[in-house]
Amino acid sequence: MARMLQLDDLTRFVTVSDSQLSPDLDRIAFVVGRADERRDGYSSTIWVVDRSDGEPVMFLSGGKDRHPRWSPDGKQLLFLSDRGLRKDERGVGLWVVPALGGEPRLLTRTETGIEQPRWGLDGAEVFFLSSVGKVEEDVKVIDRIPLWFNGAGFTYNLRRHLHVVDAASGVVTRLTEGETNVVCAAPSNRGRGVAYAASEDDLDPRRMDIYLHDLDSGEHLKLTSGYSVASLCWSPDDSCLAFLGSDLSRGSATHTAVWLLLLDGEEPESLTGSLNRGCSRRAYYDLRSPLASIPAPVWDGGHIYFPVSEGGRFNLFRVGFKDGEIEPVVTGEFSLEEFSVRDGVVAYTRVTGAEPAEVWVRDGAVERRLTGFNDGLLSRLSLSEPERFEFEASDGQRIEGWVLRPGGLREGERCPAILDIHGGPKSKFGCSLMFEHQLYAAEGYAVVYLNPRGSDGYGQDFADIRGIYGTRDYEDIMEAVDHVLAAHDFIDPDRLGVTGLSYGGFMTNWIVTHTDRFRAAVSQNSISYWPSFYGTSDIGFHFAPDQIGGDPWTNEAG
């Protein structure tokens, strides 16, 4: 008999992420993670599943193994790992292992970490990002910002640079210099070049330059400037680049798009702007693996595959390079977390409102689930299925939200309800399982969550509430509560609570100072005072001026 969810179940869920299709299309490598209470962290292993028979096999389990990437010929797999590190020793290693099994071989290890390793043209080299510099352990002399970053610690002395390591000898060469932070890089498919995006302005790290580095001459050619860039990929013939990014025309509220960048100096062209939707993953999913990668565009043949944030969904589309035609590839009431594409075959991880991520494959018109790591646990649990609602706000805009009914509620009973407000504000709730919400429902609460003005997943005008926090977004939230109470008589209007994280915490603070309809409130990680947020948080020095206009000296009122 199924039971209600418990807090301890958080450690029983398995995270599945980073599905990578092999060059021969036969196998998919992916990462399986588990919470490790004893070490207050996560363990991870690399698995491989056959695309045809769907039998997952553990491939590597030597110490937080993650980020598998097939070599161009499919004979090797590179991965990142903590294996070989002593207790409390910092760093991460870049390893390779024969794809048919064998002893892993360490290519290099750095104390400051390794990010985004990618094979070069023929598998002879691996490109990666790693920070250069050292943080003082004792007295710290800090004369620049940003000085620290959440989850990373002090960063004021560190600069992330592009490196390449010889896959045979392990010799590492640093390819970039100076006071710059490389954000992403992509080696070319045919030539001796590597494109990279770098941020050079500490006070506005969102704006970046894209360079082309010639590996033979050593030249760094600037291709474009002023864009926020998350990832890069080359056309098959190396004639141009595509990148996932934003022109920041509406600051942090600007939709992320897929851009085409020719190598002749012309300005980039947005390939997805006509959709008026963002192409970055913004959905809340609190069982997402901390090792999950950013879903980035993939150039496969004559198409660029990219994700689209549409309402509560996050689905896969593609755009034709020559005709610019956009068409759906993998769509439905779910969130596609990550994906890889080769010869039109798509390997991806998929989440729904009541199911955590598993590996799927789309081959032609057929979509199949290949893993079921959480099936056993789910069969023993009674989870609530989200009920989607939509209503017309007082200004005519359609607003989307969801309700979770509490478990075990009997006919005629009434229950309290918790209103949860997401952060961002340009993030969203949607077709992604939220353990937190399910736990509230298991404890007897109805849960209400929605995407008010400021959220991702809708039009650009909908998303931009810079300078007007607490106005139309507040009205959307209150009108959503009215709509839900009118439609669901099992919710007791006299027992309402409200909570939210970050921007959601700000709105919680705003709500309890503008209405008394909520009996309890929990403000999480909230912005409660803009000057302190500006001066002490990791992103405040550039995020606060973008959101409210000015700084504590030019905009005292906030």
Side-chain angles (χ1 to χ4, degrees):
M1 181 177 177
R3 61 172 176 81
M4 306 304 283
L5 188 73
Q6 301 169 355
L7 182 59
D8 289 347
D9 288 320
L10 181 62
T11 62
R12 298 186 179 104
F13 277 97
V14 175
T15 64
V16 178
S17 63
D18 210 2
S19 52
Q20 297 293 320
L21 192 61
S22 65
D24 62 8
L25 308 181
D26 288 340
R27 295 159 294 172
I28 300 169
F30 60 96
V31 178
V32 172
R34 291 177 170 84
D36 188 337
E37 282 188 287
R38 185 172 59 86
R39 297 180 180 176
D40 191 25
Y42 292 86
S43 64
S44 60
T45 53
I46 294 175
W47 290 60
V48 174
V49 61
D50 188 283
R51 183 167 67 95
S52 59
D53 65 23
E55 282 297 324
V57 177
M58 185 187 293
F59 188 70
L60 291 167
S61 60
K64 206 168 185 180
D65 300 329
R66 69 266 192 196
H67 198 87
R69 294 296 183 272
W70 301 95
S71 61
D73 61 8
K75 294 181 179 180
Q76 297 185 87
L77 198 68
L78 72 75
F79 64 100
L80 298 176
S81 180
D82 295 350
R83 59 176 65 203
L85 292 175
R86 297 184 298 274
K87 184 180 180 181
D88 299 326
E89 184 180 6
R90 294 178 180 175
V92 63
L94 174 60
W95 298 74
V96 293
V97 63
L100 296 179
E103 189 67 23
R105 178 169 57 91
L106 178 66
L107 288 186
T108 188
R109 178 183 286 140
T110 72
E111 182 180 331
T112 53
I114 294 174
E115 301 175 56
Q116 303 176 36
R118 298 179 68 160
W119 289 97
L121 170 65
D122 55 7
E125 300 168 318
V126 177
F127 296 85
F128 65 92
L129 307 184
S130 184
S131 293
V132 174
K134 196 171 183 65
V135 175
E136 295 102 342
E137 296 295 334
D138 190 9
V139 176
K140 295 174 173 59
V141 180
I142 301 172
D143 60 0
R144 70 194 310 164
I145 56 174
L147 58 96
W148 71 282
F149 199 82
N150 188 32
F154 286 99
T155 59
Y156 62 93
N157 270 348
L158 301 177
R159 289 293 180 268
R160 191 190 302 110
H161 282 284
L162 175 62
H163 301 74
V164 62
V165 57
D166 185 279
S169 67
V171 174
V172 176
T173 303
R174 180 171 152 187
L175 300 178
T176 55
E177 303 287 342
E179 297 298 308
T180 185
N181 275 305
V182 179
V183 177
C184 56
S188 60
N189 294 311
R190 297 183 177 184
R192 291 282 296 162
V194 56
Y196 65 93
S199 169
E200 299 180 344
D201 184 353
D202 283 343
L203 297 182
D204 193 0
R206 303 169 303 162
R207 296 190 182 276
M208 303 162 197
D209 303 322
I210 298 178
Y211 290 89
L212 174 58
H213 174 49
D214 188 302
L215 294 169
D216 293 323
S217 69
E219 179 186 9
H220 295 259
L221 175 66
K222 185 183 291 188
L223 299 177
T224 192
S225 298
Y227 290 81
S228 178
V229 182
S231 68
L232 295 154
C233 66
W234 286 87
S235 62
D237 63 359
D238 286 349
S239 64
C240 51
L241 288 158
F243 69 88
L244 180 67
S246 158
D247 62 5
L248 296 170
S249 56
R250 301 181 80 156
S252 297
T254 313
H255 280 336
T256 300
V258 178
W259 299 78
L260 180 68
L261 176 61
L262 302 178
L263 306 185
D264 58 5
E266 290 188 17
E267 281 298 303
E269 173 194 357
S270 174
L271 299 178
T272 61
S274 62
L275 294 175
N276 196 19
R277 294 293 185 271
C279 299
S280 55
R281 186 180 62 204
R282 304 292 182 100
Y284 269 46
Y285 169 44
D286 57 7
L287 291 177
R288 180 177 293 130
S289 169
L291 305 174
S293 59
I294 296 173
V298 175
W299 205 317
D300 183 60
H303 293 89
I304 302 170
Y305 290 73
F306 64 96
V308 174
S309 177
E310 170 65 45
R313 301 175 169 192
F314 192 59
N315 291 166
L316 186 65
F317 288 69
R318 71 180 189 179
V319 58
F321 169 54
K322 292 185 177 180
D323 59 17
E325 182 179 348
I326 296 173
E327 56 185 335
V329 178
V330 180
T331 61
E333 293 297 318
F334 53 79
S335 176
L336 182 142
E337 284 284 295
E338 299 157 287
F339 66 96
S340 61
V341 186
R342 292 183 188 269
D343 296 335
V345 178
V346 184
Y348 58 100
T349 52
R350 167 178 150 172
V351 179
T352 72
E355 298 172 321
E358 298 288 354
V359 175
W360 287 67
V361 65
R362 181 188 185 274
D363 190 351
V366 178
E367 298 176 22
R368 293 180 292 118
R369 192 179 75 155
L370 299 183
T371 67
F373 284 89
N374 292 288
D375 288 355
L377 177 60
L378 291 174
S379 69
R380 300 191 298 273
L381 296 176
S382 177
L383 298 182
S384 297
E385 190 71 34
E387 300 175 23
R388 180 184 175 276
F389 67 84
E390 186 177 307
F391 71 97
E392 186 175 297
S394 56
D395 66 348
Q397 177 66 54
R398 303 297 296 180
I399 303 297
E400 185 178 24
W402 295 264
V403 174
L404 282 184
R405 292 174 180 260
L409 186 68
R410 292 189 289 269
E411 187 71 28
E413 285 187 333
R414 280 189 155 189
C415 67
I418 297 173
L419 168 67
D420 190 15
I421 306 167
H422 65 64
K426 200 175 188 291
S427 61
K428 68 177 187 178
F429 287 126
C431 305
S432 302
L433 173 64
M434 285 291 293
F435 182 92
E436 177 186 0
H437 292 170
Q438 293 288 344
L439 189 62
Y440 294 155
E443 293 293 332
Y445 296 91
V447 186
V448 181
Y449 51 105
L450 68 144
N451 292 330
R453 239 63 67 96
S455 301
D456 193 52
Y458 311 91
Q460 186 67 83
D461 291 339
F462 188 101
D464 193 355
I465 59 169
R466 293 173 301 155
I468 54 172
Y469 281 23
T471 57
R472 188 61 249 184
D473 49 347
Y474 171 71
E475 294 176 53
D476 288 348
I477 293 168
M478 292 300 100
E479 291 171 13
V481 173
D482 293 337
H483 173 83
V484 169
L485 290 176
H488 299 285
D489 59 6
F490 62 84
I491 297 177
D492 187 341
D494 295 324
R495 291 190 291 164
L496 301 180
V498 59
T499 188
L501 179 85
S502 190
Y503 159 79
F506 173 94
M507 286 308 303
T508 300
N509 298 338
W510 186 273
I511 285 169
V512 298
T513 55
H514 286 76
T515 180
D516 59 1
R517 73 188 302 178
F518 295 92
R519 292 296 184 91
V522 179
S523 177
Q524 307 173 57
N525 303 13
S526 72
I527 300 172
S528 56
Y529 186 53
W530 284 106
S532 62
F533 173 77
Y534 173 90
T536 62
S537 71
D538 51 0
I539 64 170
F541 65 94
H542 64 82
F543 185 77
D546 176 72
Q547 294 296 295
I548 64 173
D551 53 38
W553 299 275
T554 60
N555 183 7
E556 280 190 69

